[in-house]
Amino acid sequence: MAEIVKAKKRKKIVKIEEEKAPKKESKIEKKSEIKGEEKKNLWEKFMTFCHGVGSEFKKVRWTSKKDMIKYSIATIVFIVFCSLFFYGIDTIFALIQSLFS
């Protein structure tokens, strides 16, 4: 019983010390103070985001029309090959199953 009372007293002491200690600033507040920026409203944040998206969009390297046609043909050939392969496997297993039934 005495241990429980001591533990409760320790918790109260810790709470009192936390209240007396100065509050720590969050990382966001520290960064904004370092940069000297004020907090931005939602519209300014959105516009900053859109500007960043636009600048990143300009860095994208688009494929040429010739490469795009080549990749599309390769994809279609691969799909046809896989379709025929699995159709053949399915047909073979169906034939084997019909022989044993």
Side-chain angles (χ1 to χ4, degrees):
M1 185 72 169
E3 294 174 8
I4 296 172
V5 173
K6 288 179 184 178
K8 287 182 180 179
K9 287 182 181 178
R10 276 188 241 138
K11 287 182 182 178
K12 287 181 182 178
I13 292 171
V14 170
K15 286 181 182 178
I16 293 170
E17 288 175 356
E18 288 176 356
E19 290 173 0
K20 289 181 181 178
K23 292 186 177 181
K24 295 181 180 179
E25 295 178 359
S26 68
K27 291 180 181 179
I28 296 171
E29 291 173 351
K30 287 181 181 178
K31 287 181 181 179
S32 64
E33 286 179 8
I34 291 171
K35 293 180 182 178
E37 297 176 355
E38 295 181 11
K39 290 185 178 180
K40 296 181 180 180
N41 64 22
L42 186 61
W43 180 251
E44 290 173 340
K45 288 180 183 179
F46 178 73
M47 291 306 293
T48 304
F49 171 76
C50 290
H51 178 70
V53 169
S55 64
E56 288 296 321
F57 194 69
K58 290 176 185 175
K59 296 177 185 177
V60 174
R61 182 188 166 273
W62 298 98
T63 57
S64 66
K65 185 177 179 180
K66 184 179 178 181
D67 288 338
M68 201 63 188
I69 292 171
K70 186 174 24 173
Y71 298 149
S72 298
I73 291 171
T75 302
I76 292 169
V77 168
F78 182 74
I79 290 171
V80 169
F81 172 76
C82 288
S83 301
L84 293 174
F85 174 76
F86 286 113
Y87 176 75
I89 296 284
D90 189 42
T91 305
I92 291 170
F93 281 130
L95 219 143
I96 292 172
Q97 187 179 12
S98 67
L99 291 176
F100 289 110
S101 299

